[in-house]
Every structure is written in structure tokens, then in C-alpha cells.
Amino acid sequence: EEASRSPLKTFKEEFRRRKDVLRKLGHIDEADTVTLKGRAAGQIDTGDELLVAELMFDGTFGALDEHELASLLSCMVPVENS
């Protein structure tokens, strides 16, 4: 059955699932409008923009001292493939 599905149908299903995740995380609202959290995630340039946005908006960064914050953020620096 998987092989008989059209690429368009597969794309639409994947798109719907991704929107569901973005909605659940609060990056888009019920009208599919990008929220402040979604706009912030769009400006982040790491390997995991959604994770960093979640940490920003749930107060994790504010609860850390400067050493803990530097350590955590050092894990999120994008590494370029050479």
C-alpha cells in the first residue's frame, strides 16, 4: 500500500503532521498564523530551532547562571559539514 500512494498524497500527509507539531508547540495558531514563538524560532540558526525556541520561551535560559548558560548554548552552535 505504501508504494501505491502518490507523492502528492504523501507530501500532504507529512505537511499536515508538521503543522500539527507546530500548532502543539505554539508556533502557529489554529488559523495557521505564525505566532511570536514561531517567528523567534524562524530567526534561530542552530541544528534544532524548535528546541532552542522552547528553551527560550519556557524560561530555561533565565534560570541558568552565566556558566550554565554558556555550556548549554555551546551545544547548540551549528557545525558546518566540510
Side-chain angles (χ1 to χ4, degrees):
E1 178 186 328
E2 186 72 29
S4 66
R5 291 179 25 191
S6 75
L8 180 58
K9 184 173 182 171
T10 301
F11 173 80
K12 286 180 178 181
E13 289 174 5
E14 178 68 19
F15 183 69
R16 181 190 52 77
R17 286 193 298 266
R18 288 177 186 236
K19 281 189 356 179
D20 289 346
V21 169
L22 292 174
R23 191 172 294 112
K24 182 176 181 181
L25 292 173
H27 293 266
I28 59 174
D29 63 18
E30 290 301 318
D32 294 338
T33 303
V34 178
T35 63
L36 174 62
K37 190 184 213 182
R39 287 193 307 273
Q43 297 299 314
I44 298 169
D45 184 23
T46 70
D48 199 339
E49 294 81 0
L50 296 180
L51 173 62
V52 174
E54 290 301 307
L55 294 172
M56 284 174 49
F57 281 82
D58 78 358
T60 297
F61 292 152
L64 302 175
D65 67 33
E66 63 271 12
H67 302 289
E68 294 168 327
L69 182 58
S71 296
L72 179 58
L73 290 176
S74 72
C75 299
M76 298 174 188
V77 175
V79 178
E80 293 186 30
N81 295 333
S82 47

Coordinates of all heavy atoms in Angstrom, one line a residue:
E1 N 0.8 -1.2 0.0 CA 0.0 0.0 0.0 C 0.9 1.2 0.0 O 0.6 2.2 -0.7 CB -0.9 0.0 1.2 CG -1.8 1.2 1.3 CD -2.6 1.3 2.5 OE1 -3.0 0.3 3.1 OE2 -2.8 2.4 3.0
E2 N 1.9 1.3 0.8 CA 2.8 2.4 0.8 C 3.4 2.8 -0.5 O 3.4 4.0 -0.9 CB 4.0 2.1 1.8 CG 4.9 3.3 2.1 CD 4.2 4.4 2.9 OE1 3.4 4.1 3.8 OE2 4.6 5.6 2.8
A3 N 3.8 1.8 -1.3 CA 4.3 2.1 -2.7 C 3.3 2.6 -3.6 O 3.6 3.3 -4.6 CB 4.9 0.8 -3.2
S4 N 2.0 2.3 -3.4 CA 1.0 2.8 -4.3 C 0.5 4.2 -4.0 O -0.3 4.8 -4.8 CB -0.2 1.8 -4.3 OG -0.8 1.9 -3.0
R5 N 0.9 4.8 -2.9 CA 0.5 6.2 -2.6 C 1.2 7.2 -3.5 O 2.4 7.0 -3.7 CB 0.8 6.5 -1.1 CG -0.1 5.7 -0.2 CD 0.1 5.9 1.2 NE 0.6 7.1 1.6 CZ 1.1 7.4 2.8 NH1 1.0 6.5 3.8 NH2 1.6 8.6 3.1
S6 N 0.5 8.2 -3.9 CA 1.1 9.2 -4.7 C 2.0 10.1 -3.9 O 1.8 10.3 -2.7 CB 0.0 10.0 -5.4 OG -0.6 10.9 -4.5
P7 N 3.0 10.6 -4.6 CA 3.9 11.5 -3.9 C 3.2 12.8 -3.3 O 3.5 13.2 -2.2 CB 4.9 12.0 -4.9 CG 4.9 10.9 -5.9 CD 3.5 10.3 -5.9
L8 N 2.2 13.2 -4.0 CA 1.4 14.4 -3.6 C 0.6 14.1 -2.3 O 0.7 14.9 -1.3 CB 0.4 14.9 -4.6 CG -0.4 16.1 -4.3 CD1 0.5 17.3 -3.9 CD2 -1.4 16.4 -5.4
K9 N 0.0 12.9 -2.2 CA -0.7 12.5 -1.0 C 0.3 12.3 0.2 O 0.0 12.8 1.3 CB -1.4 11.2 -1.2 CG -2.3 10.8 -0.1 CD -3.2 9.6 -0.4 CE -4.0 9.3 0.8 NZ -5.0 8.3 0.6
T10 N 1.4 11.8 -0.1 CA 2.4 11.6 1.0 C 2.9 13.0 1.4 O 3.0 13.2 2.6 CB 3.6 10.8 0.4 OG1 3.2 9.5 0.0 CG2 4.7 10.6 1.5
F11 N 3.1 13.9 0.5 CA 3.5 15.2 0.9 C 2.5 15.9 1.7 O 2.8 16.5 2.7 CB 3.8 16.1 -0.4 CG 4.1 17.5 -0.1 CD1 5.4 17.9 0.3 CD2 3.1 18.5 -0.3 CE1 5.6 19.2 0.6 CE2 3.4 19.8 0.0 CZ 4.6 20.2 0.4
K12 N 1.2 15.8 1.3 CA 0.1 16.5 2.1 C 0.0 15.9 3.5 O -0.2 16.7 4.4 CB -1.2 16.3 1.3 CG -1.3 17.2 0.1 CD -2.7 17.0 -0.5 CE -2.8 17.9 -1.7 NZ -4.2 17.7 -2.4
E13 N 0.2 14.6 3.6 CA 0.1 14.0 5.0 C 1.3 14.5 5.9 O 1.1 14.8 7.0 CB 0.1 12.5 4.9 CG -1.2 11.9 4.3 CD -1.1 10.4 4.1 OE1 -0.1 9.8 4.4 OE2 -2.1 9.9 3.5
E14 N 2.5 14.5 5.3 CA 3.6 15.0 6.0 C 3.5 16.5 6.4 O 3.8 16.8 7.5 CB 4.9 14.8 5.2 CG 6.2 15.3 5.8 CD 6.6 14.5 7.0 OE1 6.2 13.3 7.2 OE2 7.4 15.0 7.9
F15 N 3.0 17.3 5.5 CA 2.7 18.7 5.8 C 1.7 18.8 6.9 O 1.9 19.6 7.8 CB 2.2 19.3 4.5 CG 2.0 20.8 4.6 CD1 3.1 21.7 4.8 CD2 0.7 21.3 4.6 CE1 2.8 23.1 4.9 CE2 0.5 22.7 4.7 CZ 1.6 23.6 4.9
R16 N 0.7 18.1 6.9 CA -0.3 18.1 8.0 C 0.3 17.7 9.3 O 0.0 18.4 10.3 CB -1.5 17.2 7.6 CG -2.6 17.3 8.7 CD -3.7 16.2 8.5 NE -3.1 14.8 8.4 CZ -2.7 14.1 9.4 NH1 -2.7 14.5 10.6 NH2 -2.2 12.9 9.2
R17 N 1.1 16.7 9.3 CA 1.7 16.3 10.6 C 2.7 17.3 11.1 O 2.7 17.6 12.3 CB 2.5 14.9 10.4 CG 1.5 13.7 10.3 CD 2.3 12.4 10.4 NE 3.2 12.2 9.3 CZ 3.0 11.6 8.2 NH1 1.8 11.1 8.0 NH2 3.9 11.4 7.3
R18 N 3.4 18.0 10.2 CA 4.3 19.0 10.7 C 3.5 20.2 11.2 O 3.9 20.8 12.2 CB 5.2 19.5 9.5 CG 6.3 18.4 9.2 CD 7.1 18.8 8.0 NE 8.0 17.8 7.6 CZ 9.3 17.9 7.5 NH1 9.9 19.0 7.7 NH2 10.0 16.9 7.1
K19 N 2.4 20.6 10.6 CA 1.6 21.7 11.1 C 1.0 21.3 12.5 O 1.0 22.2 13.3 CB 0.5 22.0 10.1 CG 0.9 22.8 9.0 CD -0.2 23.3 8.1 CE -1.6 22.9 8.4 NZ -2.6 23.5 7.5
D20 N 0.7 20.1 12.6 CA 0.1 19.6 13.9 C 1.2 19.8 15.0 O 0.9 20.3 16.1 CB -0.3 18.2 13.9 CG -1.6 17.9 13.1 OD1 -2.3 18.9 12.8 OD2 -1.8 16.8 12.7
V21 N 2.4 19.5 14.7 CA 3.5 19.6 15.7 C 3.7 21.1 16.0 O 3.8 21.5 17.2 CB 4.8 19.0 15.2 CG1 6.0 19.4 16.0 CG2 4.7 17.5 15.1
L22 N 3.8 21.9 15.0 CA 4.0 23.4 15.2 C 2.8 24.0 16.0 O 3.0 24.9 16.8 CB 4.1 24.1 13.8 CG 5.4 23.8 13.0 CD1 5.3 24.4 11.7 CD2 6.6 24.2 13.8
R23 N 1.6 23.5 15.7 CA 0.5 24.0 16.5 C 0.5 23.6 17.9 O 0.3 24.4 18.8 CB -0.8 23.5 15.8 CG -2.1 24.2 16.4 CD -3.3 23.8 15.6 NE -3.3 24.3 14.2 CZ -3.2 23.6 13.1 NH1 -3.1 22.2 13.2 NH2 -3.1 24.1 11.9
K24 N 0.9 22.3 18.2 CA 1.0 21.8 19.5 C 2.1 22.6 20.3 O 1.9 22.8 21.5 CB 1.3 20.3 19.5 CG 1.4 19.7 20.9 CD 1.6 18.2 20.8 CE 1.7 17.6 22.1 NZ 1.9 16.1 22.1
L25 N 3.2 22.9 19.7 CA 4.2 23.7 20.3 C 4.0 25.2 20.4 O 4.7 25.9 21.1 CB 5.6 23.4 19.6 CG 6.1 22.0 19.6 CD1 7.4 21.9 18.7 CD2 6.5 21.6 21.1
G26 N 2.9 25.6 19.8 CA 2.6 27.0 19.9 C 3.3 27.9 18.9 O 3.3 29.1 19.0
H27 N 3.8 27.3 17.8 CA 4.5 28.1 16.8 C 3.5 28.7 15.7 O 3.8 29.6 15.1 CB 5.6 27.3 16.1 CG 6.7 27.0 17.1 ND1 7.8 27.7 17.2 CD2 6.9 26.0 18.0 CE1 8.6 27.2 18.1 NE2 8.1 26.2 18.6
I28 N 2.4 28.0 15.6 CA 1.3 28.5 14.8 C 0.0 28.4 15.6 O -0.1 27.5 16.5 CB 1.2 27.8 13.4 CG1 0.9 26.3 13.6 CG2 2.4 28.1 12.5 CD1 0.6 25.6 12.3
D29 N -1.0 29.2 15.3 CA -2.3 29.1 16.0 C -3.2 28.3 15.2 O -2.9 27.8 14.1 CB -2.8 30.5 16.3 CG -3.1 31.4 15.1 OD1 -3.2 30.8 14.0 OD2 -3.2 32.6 15.2
E30 N -4.5 28.3 15.6 CA -5.5 27.4 14.9 C -5.8 27.9 13.5 O -6.3 27.1 12.7 CB -6.8 27.4 15.8 CG -6.7 26.6 17.1 CD -6.2 25.2 16.8 OE1 -6.8 24.5 15.9 OE2 -5.4 24.7 17.6
A31 N -5.5 29.2 13.2 CA -5.7 29.7 11.9 C -4.5 29.6 11.0 O -4.4 30.2 9.9 CB -6.2 31.2 11.9
D32 N -3.5 28.8 11.5 CA -2.2 28.6 10.8 C -1.4 29.9 10.7 O -0.5 30.1 9.8 CB -2.3 28.0 9.5 CG -2.9 26.6 9.6 OD1 -2.7 25.9 10.6 OD2 -3.4 26.0 8.6
T33 N -1.6 30.9 11.6 CA -0.8 32.1 11.6 C 0.4 31.9 12.5 O 0.3 31.3 13.6 CB -1.7 33.3 12.2 OG1 -2.9 33.4 11.4 CG2 -0.9 34.6 12.2
V34 N 1.5 32.3 12.1 CA 2.8 32.2 12.8 C 2.7 33.1 14.0 O 2.4 34.3 14.0 CB 4.0 32.5 12.0 CG1 5.3 32.4 12.8 CG2 4.0 31.6 10.7
T35 N 3.0 32.5 15.2 CA 3.0 33.3 16.5 C 4.3 33.9 16.8 O 5.3 33.7 16.0 CB 2.6 32.3 17.6 OG1 3.7 31.3 17.7 CG2 1.3 31.6 17.4
L36 N 4.4 34.6 17.8 CA 5.7 35.2 18.2 C 6.8 34.1 18.4 O 7.9 34.2 18.0 CB 5.5 36.0 19.5 CG 6.8 36.6 20.2 CD1 7.5 37.6 19.2 CD2 6.5 37.2 21.5
K37 N 6.3 33.1 19.1 CA 7.3 31.9 19.3 C 7.7 31.3 17.9 O 8.9 31.0 17.8 CB 6.5 30.8 20.1 CG 7.4 29.7 20.6 CD 6.5 28.7 21.3 CE 7.2 28.1 22.4 NZ 6.3 27.0 23.1
G38 N 6.8 31.2 17.0 CA 7.2 30.7 15.7 C 8.1 31.7 14.9 O 9.1 31.3 14.3
R39 N 7.9 33.0 15.1 CA 8.8 34.0 14.4 C 10.2 33.9 15.1 O 11.2 34.0 14.4 CB 8.2 35.4 14.5 CG 7.0 35.6 13.6 CD 6.6 37.0 13.4 NE 6.4 37.7 14.7 CZ 5.2 37.8 15.3 NH1 4.2 37.1 14.9 NH2 5.1 38.5 16.4
A40 N 10.2 33.8 16.4 CA 11.5 33.7 17.1 C 12.3 32.4 16.6 O 13.4 32.5 16.3 CB 11.3 33.6 18.6
A41 N 11.6 31.3 16.5 CA 12.2 30.1 16.0 C 12.7 30.2 14.6 O 13.8 29.7 14.3 CB 11.2 28.9 16.1
G42 N 12.1 31.0 13.8 CA 12.5 31.2 12.4 C 13.8 32.0 12.3 O 14.4 32.0 11.3
Q43 N 14.1 32.8 13.4 CA 15.3 33.6 13.4 C 16.5 32.9 14.0 O 17.6 33.4 13.9 CB 15.1 34.9 14.1 CG 14.0 35.8 13.5 CD 14.4 36.2 12.1 OE1 15.5 36.6 11.9 NE2 13.5 36.1 11.2
I44 N 16.3 31.7 14.5 CA 17.3 31.0 15.2 C 18.1 30.1 14.2 O 17.5 29.5 13.3 CB 16.8 30.1 16.3 CG1 16.1 31.0 17.4 CG2 17.8 29.2 16.9 CD1 15.3 30.2 18.4
D45 N 19.4 30.1 14.2 CA 20.2 29.4 13.3 C 21.1 28.4 14.0 O 22.2 28.6 14.3 CB 21.1 30.4 12.5 CG 21.9 29.7 11.4 OD1 21.5 28.6 11.0 OD2 23.0 30.2 11.0
T46 N 20.4 27.3 14.4 CA 21.1 26.2 15.0 C 20.6 24.9 14.3 O 19.9 24.9 13.4 CB 20.8 26.0 16.5 OG1 19.4 25.6 16.7 CG2 21.0 27.3 17.3
G47 N 21.1 23.8 14.9 CA 20.6 22.5 14.3 C 19.2 22.1 14.8 O 18.6 21.3 14.2
D48 N 18.7 22.8 15.8 CA 17.4 22.5 16.3 C 16.7 23.7 16.8 O 16.6 24.0 18.0 CB 17.5 21.5 17.5 CG 16.2 20.7 17.7 OD1 15.1 21.2 17.3 OD2 16.3 19.6 18.3
E49 N 16.1 24.5 15.8 CA 15.5 25.7 16.1 C 14.3 25.6 17.1 O 14.1 26.4 17.9 CB 15.0 26.4 14.8 CG 16.1 26.8 13.9 CD 16.7 25.7 13.1 OE1 16.3 24.5 13.1 OE2 17.6 26.0 12.3
L50 N 13.5 24.5 16.9 CA 12.3 24.3 17.8 C 12.7 24.1 19.2 O 12.1 24.6 20.1 CB 11.5 23.2 17.3 CG 10.9 23.3 15.9 CD1 10.0 22.1 15.5 CD2 10.0 24.6 15.8
L51 N 13.8 23.3 19.4 CA 14.3 23.1 20.8 C 14.7 24.4 21.4 O 14.4 24.7 22.6 CB 15.4 22.1 20.8 CG 16.1 21.8 22.2 CD1 15.1 21.3 23.2 CD2 17.3 20.9 22.0
V52 N 15.5 25.2 20.7 CA 16.0 26.4 21.3 C 14.9 27.4 21.6 O 14.8 28.0 22.7 CB 17.0 27.1 20.4 CG1 17.5 28.5 20.9 CG2 18.3 26.2 20.2
A53 N 13.9 27.5 20.7 CA 12.7 28.3 21.0 C 12.0 27.8 22.2 O 11.5 28.7 23.0 CB 11.8 28.3 19.8
E54 N 11.8 26.5 22.4 CA 11.1 26.0 23.6 C 11.9 26.4 24.8 O 11.3 26.9 25.8 CB 11.0 24.5 23.5 CG 10.0 24.0 22.5 CD 8.6 24.5 22.7 OE1 8.1 24.4 23.8 OE2 8.0 25.1 21.7
L55 N 13.2 26.3 24.8 CA 14.0 26.7 26.0 C 13.9 28.2 26.2 O 13.9 28.6 27.4 CB 15.5 26.2 25.8 CG 15.7 24.7 25.7 CD1 17.2 24.5 25.2 CD2 15.4 24.1 27.0
M56 N 13.9 29.0 25.2 CA 13.7 30.4 25.4 C 12.4 30.8 26.0 O 12.4 31.6 27.0 CB 13.8 31.1 24.0 CG 15.2 31.2 23.4 SD 15.2 31.9 21.7 CE 14.2 33.4 21.9
F57 N 11.3 30.2 25.5 CA 10.0 30.6 25.9 C 9.6 29.9 27.2 O 8.6 30.4 27.9 CB 9.0 30.4 24.8 CG 9.0 31.5 23.8 CD1 10.0 31.5 22.8 CD2 8.1 32.5 23.9 CE1 10.0 32.5 21.8 CE2 8.2 33.6 22.9 CZ 9.2 33.5 21.9
D58 N 10.2 28.9 27.7 CA 9.8 28.2 28.9 C 10.6 28.7 30.1 O 10.4 28.3 31.2 CB 9.8 26.7 28.8 CG 11.1 26.1 28.9 OD1 12.1 26.8 29.0 OD2 11.2 24.8 28.9
G59 N 11.5 29.7 29.9 CA 12.3 30.3 31.0 C 13.5 29.5 31.3 O 14.2 29.9 32.3
T60 N 13.9 28.5 30.6 CA 15.1 27.7 31.0 C 16.3 28.6 31.0 O 17.1 28.5 31.9 CB 15.3 26.6 30.0 OG1 14.2 25.7 30.1 CG2 16.6 25.8 30.3
F61 N 16.5 29.4 30.0 CA 17.7 30.2 29.9 C 17.8 31.2 31.1 O 18.9 31.4 31.6 CB 17.8 31.0 28.6 CG 18.0 30.1 27.4 CD1 17.6 30.5 26.1 CD2 18.7 28.9 27.4 CE1 17.8 29.7 25.0 CE2 18.9 28.1 26.3 CZ 18.4 28.5 25.1
G62 N 16.7 31.8 31.5 CA 16.7 32.7 32.6 C 17.0 32.1 33.9 O 17.5 32.8 34.8
A63 N 16.8 30.8 34.0 CA 17.1 30.1 35.3 C 18.5 29.7 35.5 O 18.9 29.2 36.5 CB 16.2 28.9 35.4
L64 N 19.4 29.9 34.5 CA 20.7 29.4 34.5 C 21.7 30.6 34.8 O 21.5 31.7 34.4 CB 21.1 28.8 33.1 CG 20.3 27.7 32.6 CD1 20.7 27.3 31.2 CD2 20.4 26.5 33.5
D65 N 22.8 30.2 35.5 CA 23.8 31.2 35.7 C 24.6 31.3 34.4 O 24.4 30.6 33.4 CB 24.7 30.9 36.9 CG 25.6 29.7 36.8 OD1 26.0 29.4 35.6 OD2 25.9 29.0 37.8
E66 N 25.6 32.3 34.3 CA 26.3 32.5 33.1 C 27.1 31.3 32.6 O 27.2 31.1 31.4 CB 27.1 33.8 33.1 CG 28.3 33.7 34.2 CD 27.9 34.2 35.6 OE1 26.7 34.4 35.9 OE2 28.8 34.4 36.4
H67 N 27.6 30.6 33.5 CA 28.4 29.4 33.1 C 27.6 28.3 32.6 O 27.9 27.6 31.6 CB 29.3 28.9 34.3 CG 30.2 29.9 34.9 ND1 31.3 30.4 34.3 CD2 30.1 30.7 36.1 CE1 31.9 31.3 35.0 NE2 31.2 31.5 36.1
E68 N 26.4 28.0 33.3 CA 25.5 27.0 32.8 C 24.9 27.4 31.4 O 24.8 26.6 30.5 CB 24.3 26.9 33.8 CG 24.8 26.3 35.1 CD 23.7 26.4 36.2 OE1 22.9 27.3 36.2 OE2 23.7 25.5 37.0
L69 N 24.6 28.7 31.3 CA 24.0 29.2 30.0 C 25.1 29.0 28.9 O 24.7 28.5 27.8 CB 23.6 30.6 30.1 CG 23.0 31.3 28.9 CD1 21.7 30.5 28.5 CD2 22.6 32.7 29.2
A70 N 26.3 29.4 29.1 CA 27.4 29.3 28.1 C 27.5 27.8 27.7 O 27.7 27.4 26.6 CB 28.7 29.9 28.6
S71 N 27.5 26.9 28.7 CA 27.7 25.5 28.5 C 26.5 24.9 27.6 O 26.8 24.2 26.6 CB 27.7 24.7 29.8 OG 28.9 25.0 30.5
L72 N 25.3 25.3 28.0 CA 24.2 24.8 27.2 C 24.2 25.4 25.8 O 24.0 24.6 24.8 CB 22.9 25.3 27.9 CG 21.6 24.9 27.2 CD1 21.5 23.3 27.0 CD2 20.4 25.4 28.0
L73 N 24.4 26.7 25.6 CA 24.4 27.3 24.3 C 25.6 26.7 23.4 O 25.4 26.7 22.2 CB 24.5 28.8 24.4 CG 23.2 29.4 24.9 CD1 23.4 30.9 25.1 CD2 22.0 29.1 24.1
S74 N 26.7 26.3 24.0 CA 27.8 25.8 23.3 C 27.4 24.5 22.6 O 28.0 24.2 21.5 CB 29.0 25.6 24.1 OG 28.8 24.5 25.0
C75 N 26.4 23.8 23.1 CA 25.9 22.6 22.5 C 25.1 22.8 21.2 O 24.7 21.9 20.5 CB 25.1 21.8 23.5 SG 26.0 21.2 24.9
M76 N 24.7 24.1 21.1 CA 23.7 24.4 20.0 C 24.3 25.2 18.9 O 23.6 25.7 18.0 CB 22.6 25.2 20.6 CG 21.8 24.4 21.6 SD 20.6 25.3 22.5 CE 20.1 24.1 23.7
V77 N 25.7 25.3 18.9 CA 26.3 26.0 17.8 C 26.3 25.1 16.5 O 26.7 24.0 16.6 CB 27.8 26.4 18.2 CG1 28.6 27.0 17.0 CG2 27.8 27.3 19.4
P78 N 25.8 25.7 15.4 CA 25.8 24.8 14.2 C 27.2 24.4 13.8 O 28.1 25.2 13.8 CB 25.1 25.7 13.2 CG 25.1 27.1 13.7 CD 25.3 27.0 15.2
V79 N 27.3 23.2 13.3 CA 28.6 22.7 12.8 C 28.4 22.5 11.3 O 27.5 21.8 10.9 CB 29.0 21.4 13.5 CG1 30.3 20.8 12.9 CG2 29.1 21.5 15.0
E80 N 29.3 23.2 10.6 CA 29.2 23.1 9.1 C 29.9 21.8 8.7 O 31.0 21.4 9.2 CB 29.9 24.3 8.5 CG 29.1 25.5 8.7 CD 29.7 26.7 7.9 OE1 30.3 26.5 6.8 OE2 29.6 27.8 8.4
N81 N 29.3 21.1 7.7 CA 30.0 20.0 7.1 C 31.1 20.4 6.1 O 30.9 21.4 5.4 CB 29.0 19.1 6.3 CG 27.9 18.5 7.3 OD1 28.2 18.3 8.4 ND2 26.7 18.3 6.8
S82 N 32.2 19.8 6.2 CA 33.3 20.2 5.3 C 33.6 19.1 4.3 O 33.1 18.0 4.3 CB 34.5 20.5 6.0 OG 34.8 19.6 7.0

